[in-house]
Amino acid sequence: MANRNLLDRLTQEIHTASSRLGAYLDGWAADRAAAEPLSHRLDETTRRLAALLGHASDLHIRHLRLRGQVRVAVAVIDGLAVDELIHRFVLVPLGSIPADVNTPDEVVRWLVRRGLQGTRLQQARLFDEVVRELHRGSAVVLVDSVDRALILDFSGFEHRLPEEPATEVVTRGPREGFTEVLRTNLAAVRRRLADHRLRVEDFEVGRLSHSRGALLYVLGRADPLLVQTLRRRLAAVDLDTVVDTSQLASFLSGRPWSPFMQYRSTERPDVCTAALAEGRVVLMLDGTPFALIVPATFWDLLQSPEDYYLRWPFGTAMRLLRLFAVLVSVSGLALYVAIVNYHHELIPTNLLVTILTSRAAVPYPTVVEAIILNVGFDLLREAGARMPRGIGGALSVVGALVVGEAMVRGGLASAPMVVLAATTAVATLSLPTFAVTVPFRLISYALLLLGSALGLFGIAVGVTAVVGHLSSLESVGRPFLAPLAPWRGEALLEDALVRLPWRRHRKQVPFVPVERSAGRAAEPGP
């Protein structure tokens, strides 16, 4: 019996190894076939193209015979190209070729010069290029006895229409947001920045996805060393699939292990336009509505587009309020736990009596109570964000009220702690985007543990460590805390903490040169 089990196990392992070897050899053969040039023979080219795509059912290849007995094939992938455009600008011209055009070379020459009507007509000689363009919604025209393909972009797949971004809602200002189509997003930026100095450089990332992207900057405003650094880091992206700009962020950031985003992510064309005018660089990727803005500072993460659409006193007040919200969300519970446990003398007598009375029935320490409430509010917020919009907000509010009241009545939490935990949770939600709140929530837990162990001294140590870490960060060569560190008081009071009237804004915001830290920020992180 033991020998039989051993034989079965060896048979299964051999079968598994042979299957994996076969899959590897199939992939290797497909890579070799994709790198080969197109054949002169039309039948062989279409046969190899169909085999390269696994004889997919949505690959349509239509064979035509023109005047002069010249054979032509048109290949498209169903659902990615517009059938009406293919019929009007490809099939109709093929059927109207003059009688004196009767050789393959003359057919190709006539199609390129007069026949095919398309704004993006290009030629390809490799199977890999043809397959890539087919997946992007292009129509491929193959002519017998010709070793190159004519490619026209007729992409017309279903996509979402521009609408107001759900992550950056404003009460005043444009309601248009980016979509998952790169071409639409570029057009939205060009409409708002109609200047000849706007530069759009295409790039491609992902060994398998071949995702198309665009690097945007304004000539004469953006630092040329910054643009060169971004080109070099984008060329160093070594991933199989790239479906979102957040995957590029780890290659663009000098400190990818930091919890703080060293870039700004946005779905709004007006934000990208303003950043380009200030000399920053914008990165877009096909398939995602989120664009990256670099370099970015800590203060950029606390700003909302609405600050610029309100009058300057209200915009300044909102910025200061968000900064106060950050301080409350990070250190509110930690200060409460530290003072209640170690520094009773700082609490007024009447308030201290109220706190001790409410905590008399709570069976666990203050830090455990704070962690339970903090985690509970985070769970309610996460559940509200993942549920349908109609009931998500109601669930968060009603759940917080019901759970908080039940915990106070059951003696599982004190009323002051519930109020303070709710205040810190609301302060976190006041930040512009959800991604910005994540590092502050993590830091709040660390400060809470330090405050429960070492009191105010532990909080001071934690805050010092956080500020030191922020001071050491750079966003593609620019200090992350600029203009606070290094100190530039004029810029700090112009558009970082304070939003001055428009007539007081400078036409161009100068950047800190990147040469200062070229040695540390030249290479991408892991």
Side-chain angles (χ1 to χ4, degrees):
M1 182 62 68
N3 294 334
R4 183 183 180 87
N5 293 336
L6 179 61
L7 181 61
D8 292 341
R9 188 165 61 252
L10 289 176
T11 303
Q12 184 178 1
E13 291 179 357
I14 293 174
H15 177 72
T16 302
S18 61
S19 299
R20 291 177 178 174
L21 179 60
Y24 173 78
L25 292 177
D26 290 342
W28 175 79
D31 292 340
R32 290 288 302 272
E36 293 181 0
L38 299 177
S39 174
H40 287 81
R41 293 178 293 179
L42 180 62
D43 293 336
E44 182 180 354
T45 299
T46 56
R47 179 183 58 81
R48 293 170 62 181
L49 179 62
L52 194 60
L53 292 175
H55 299 281
S57 59
D58 56 351
L59 173 63
H60 300 327
I61 302 178
R62 181 174 179 180
H63 292 266
L64 303 172
R65 186 177 294 274
L66 307 180
R67 298 176 183 178
Q69 301 302 312
V70 178
R71 293 189 303 138
V72 177
V74 180
V76 296
I77 292 182
D78 188 20
L80 296 181
V82 181
D83 295 338
E84 182 181 355
L85 296 180
I86 296 175
H87 175 77
R88 180 184 303 176
F89 298 111
V90 177
L91 298 180
V92 171
L94 287 175
S96 60
I97 292 181
D100 56 344
V101 179
N102 49 25
T103 65
D105 291 333
E106 292 178 351
V107 169
V108 172
R109 191 178 304 112
W110 185 86
L111 290 176
V112 171
R113 294 180 178 178
R114 300 182 58 185
L116 298 179
Q117 304 296 323
T119 57
R120 292 186 56 189
L121 175 62
Q122 53 183 330
Q123 301 185 28
R125 296 181 179 272
L126 300 178
F127 280 98
D128 185 37
E129 298 174 354
V130 172
V131 171
R132 194 177 308 169
E133 293 301 327
L134 282 173
H135 283 91
R136 290 173 177 172
S138 299
V140 177
V141 180
L142 302 169
V143 181
D144 192 21
S145 302
V146 177
D147 62 347
R148 62 185 184 276
L150 304 179
I151 299 174
L152 293 97
D153 183 11
F154 293 132
S155 57
F157 46 85
E158 296 292 334
H159 59 84
R160 181 172 58 91
L161 296 177
E163 58 186 12
E164 183 178 6
T167 58
E168 296 176 275
V169 180
V170 297
T171 58
R172 181 171 182 176
R175 302 302 175 93
E176 182 184 5
F178 287 140
T179 67
E180 286 76 16
V181 182
L182 177 62
R183 184 169 54 185
T184 303
N185 299 339
L186 291 176
V189 174
R190 285 189 179 276
R191 286 203 322 269
R192 291 169 171 80
L193 199 62
D195 192 88
H196 66 279
R197 288 170 291 184
L198 177 62
R199 295 292 182 267
V200 179
E201 298 182 4
D202 297 333
F203 64 89
E204 188 175 288
V205 288
R207 290 188 294 267
L208 297 179
S209 61
H210 300 287
S211 303
R212 293 179 297 178
L215 185 147
L216 291 77
Y217 63 94
V218 175
L219 191 65
R221 292 287 182 94
D223 193 324
L225 294 181
L226 169 66
V227 177
Q228 293 178 9
T229 301
L230 290 176
R231 292 182 188 137
R232 183 169 62 252
R233 295 189 180 185
L234 288 173
V237 175
D238 188 22
L239 296 174
D240 288 335
T241 59
V242 179
V243 297
D244 190 75
T245 50
S246 60
Q247 295 176 264
L248 302 177
S250 61
F251 292 88
L252 302 179
S253 303
R255 302 276 292 277
W257 297 104
S258 173
F260 293 95
M261 299 189 306
Q262 296 145 57
Y263 57 90
R264 185 175 181 180
S265 179
T266 181
E267 294 184 76
R268 300 182 61 89
D270 55 333
V271 175
C272 290
T273 302
L276 290 170
E278 292 176 355
R280 305 174 195 257
V281 180
V282 175
L283 292 174
M284 295 182 180
L285 195 67
D286 193 25
T288 177
F290 291 94
L292 297 185
I293 299 175
V294 288
T297 65
F298 175 80
W299 318 105
D300 294 332
L301 305 181
L302 303 182
Q303 294 180 4
S304 170
E306 199 171 22
D307 297 345
Y308 296 95
Y309 302 130
L310 300 174
R311 291 183 58 82
W312 70 270
F314 303 110
T316 301
M318 290 298 102
R319 291 185 180 181
L320 296 178
L321 182 62
R322 292 190 203 102
L323 181 60
F324 176 74
V326 168
L327 299 178
V328 171
S329 63
V330 169
S331 60
L333 283 178
L335 289 174
Y336 176 82
V337 171
I339 292 175
V340 169
N341 288 345
Y342 299 101
H343 309 282
H344 304 97
E345 67 279 1
L346 298 179
I347 307 175
T349 303
N350 295 335
L351 180 59
L352 181 60
V353 171
T354 302
I355 294 175
L356 295 178
T357 302
S358 62
R359 278 198 44 81
V362 179
Y364 31 71
T366 310
V367 61
V368 176
E369 179 186 7
I371 292 176
I372 291 175
L373 290 175
N374 231 7
V375 172
F377 276 107
D378 285 339
L379 289 176
L380 286 174
R381 182 181 60 178
E382 187 70 14
R386 303 296 173 230
M387 293 190 69
R389 295 183 180 180
I391 62 176
L395 173 67
S396 300
V397 175
V398 175
L401 292 175
V402 173
V403 173
E405 180 67 18
M407 292 187 69
V408 172
R409 289 181 176 273
L412 299 178
S414 60
M417 180 67 78
V418 172
V419 172
L420 188 56
T423 303
T424 57
V426 172
T428 303
L429 296 176
S430 65
L431 297 180
T433 59
F434 175 77
V436 177
T437 66
V438 176
F440 296 126
R441 294 300 290 174
L442 296 178
I443 293 174
S444 68
Y445 282 101
L447 293 183
L448 182 60
L449 296 177
L450 288 174
S452 64
L454 302 175
L456 293 179
F457 175 75
I459 296 177
V461 171
V463 171
T464 303
V466 172
V467 174
H469 175 70
L470 289 174
S471 301
S472 66
L473 292 180
E474 293 181 347
S475 177
V476 200
R478 184 187 183 188
F480 190 60
L481 280 185
L484 180 62
W487 174 259
R488 291 168 59 224
E490 183 180 358
L492 184 66
L493 296 178
E494 179 181 339
D495 199 31
L497 285 178
V498 178
R499 211 278 283 176
L500 295 180
W502 282 110
R503 64 177 61 188
R504 297 292 302 275
H505 278 249
R506 286 175 288 178
K507 294 183 179 180
Q508 182 176 355
V509 180
F511 275 100
V512 176
V514 298
E515 295 90 344
R516 185 185 67 82
S517 56
R520 285 195 296 170
E523 298 298 330

